[in-house]
Amino acid sequence: MSDALNYLLKVRKDVVEPYFKALKQGGKHLDVKTRSLLSVITKVDAQTEAGLKQYLVRALRDGNSADEILDAMLVCLPTLGMSKIIWAVDIILKMNLPDFNPELIGKEKQWYKLIAINELEEGISRHDYDGRACFINKKGDEHHVYDSRCPHQAADISLSSLEDTTLTCARHQWKFNVGNGECIENGNRPLNRIEFKIEDGFVYVYS
Ligand code: FES
């Protein structure tokens, strides 16, 4: 949320809070994916860059594919106009999201072999695959696998930010506990988990 909205919520709570409630209520008959697509469209229409980045990441997290997001924008072409769509696509491309990579777009999810389990060190490690990356946190026989992209606006989180058990996203300083992925400071969403399996002595991710 912007500083201005936070300010208004503080000093004019009685006026601003019902507005947010109405927005929420207005979408109660829509499924999650549709609602998040519509949120993306509103941000493209209003041309708010931070909002677009945030809602784009949410739309992906809610299960929309890059194809579905592009389709949603294109079916709204008559009202958005091509220049706003181009504006949005420029921002999306600068975000460098693997989902929008022309070589990955439309590609079915599949299993990727990452590393032999006996080569995996205790603690957290970063692994690249097919133009993306993930973190594996190993504690004995327990493993957690997280997307390296920040759940806020999808900045790629560097392993060099690790301090003890905390990863920090350089863009807006959200901090995450690698033990459970929870956001512990500055933000409100956990690291995105990636489905994984250990088979024939190797770690695989489904992505
Ligand atoms: S992109 Fe904003 S904190 Fe990571």
Side-chain angles (χ1 to χ4, degrees):
M1 202 168 335
S2 72
D3 289 346
L5 274 175
N6 276 330
Y7 172 79
L8 285 173
L9 262 174
K10 201 177 270 179
V11 301
R12 289 291 183 276
K13 193 173 176 185
D14 52 333
V15 178
V16 179
E17 218 167 49
Y19 162 78
F20 282 109
K21 209 168 167 192
L23 280 183
K24 217 171 179 180
Q25 288 290 322
K28 70 180 176 190
H29 296 295
L30 298 173
D31 62 74
V32 174
K33 283 179 66 179
T34 307
R35 216 167 42 217
S36 58
L37 282 177
L38 288 173
S39 297
V40 170
I41 297 303
T42 62
K43 299 303 171 193
V44 176
D45 190 36
Q47 294 191 286
T48 47
E49 182 169 342
L52 172 62
K53 287 177 174 170
Q54 186 168 333
Y55 282 97
L56 188 74
V57 172
R58 184 178 296 178
L60 291 168
R61 195 179 60 238
D62 286 341
N64 289 294
S65 66
D67 273 326
E68 287 170 318
I69 293 168
L70 291 173
D71 280 356
M73 289 196 284
L74 289 170
V75 293
C76 294
L77 177 63
T79 182
L80 291 177
M82 195 47 118
S83 61
K84 285 186 182 173
I85 294 176
I86 297 291
W87 170 85
V89 172
D90 264 339
I91 289 168
I92 292 170
L93 292 180
K94 281 186 197 131
M95 287 172 79
N96 212 10
L97 295 168
D99 313 68
F100 286 87
N101 177 336
E103 278 158 35
L104 295 179
I105 213 162
K107 200 170 172 180
E108 292 289 309
K109 275 181 147 191
Q110 57 180 277
W111 287 103
Y112 292 92
K113 190 193 254 189
L114 291 187
I115 185 170
I117 192 78
N118 60 11
E119 287 175 15
L120 200 56
E121 292 180 5
E122 268 313 282
I124 193 144
S125 51
R126 185 182 155 110
H127 304 268
D128 295 321
Y129 65 96
D130 202 20
R132 290 165 273 177
C134 65
F135 297 116
I136 302 180
N137 190 39
K138 173 180 160 59
K139 201 172 170 201
D141 289 337
E142 194 181 312
H143 301 84
H144 299 276
V145 182
Y146 309 111
D147 195 333
S148 71
R149 287 169 297 163
C150 181
H152 182 212
Q153 290 182 1
D156 192 38
I157 301 172
S158 166
L159 193 54
S160 63
S161 72
L162 185 72
E163 266 180 66
D164 194 15
T165 56
T166 301
L167 276 175
T168 302
C169 175
R171 187 146 329 151
H172 309 102
Q173 307 300 311
W174 285 25
K175 292 181 185 293
F176 304 93
N177 175 354
V178 296
N180 55 16
E182 290 303 315
C183 183
I184 50 174
E185 217 176 295
N186 300 329
N188 54 11
R189 288 191 296 281
L191 289 170
N192 293 314
R193 288 180 181 268
I194 299 184
E195 188 180 346
F196 73 98
K197 66 179 178 182
I198 298 170
E199 198 172 271
D200 300 329
F202 287 89
V203 183
Y204 295 80
V205 286
Y206 191 61
S207 185

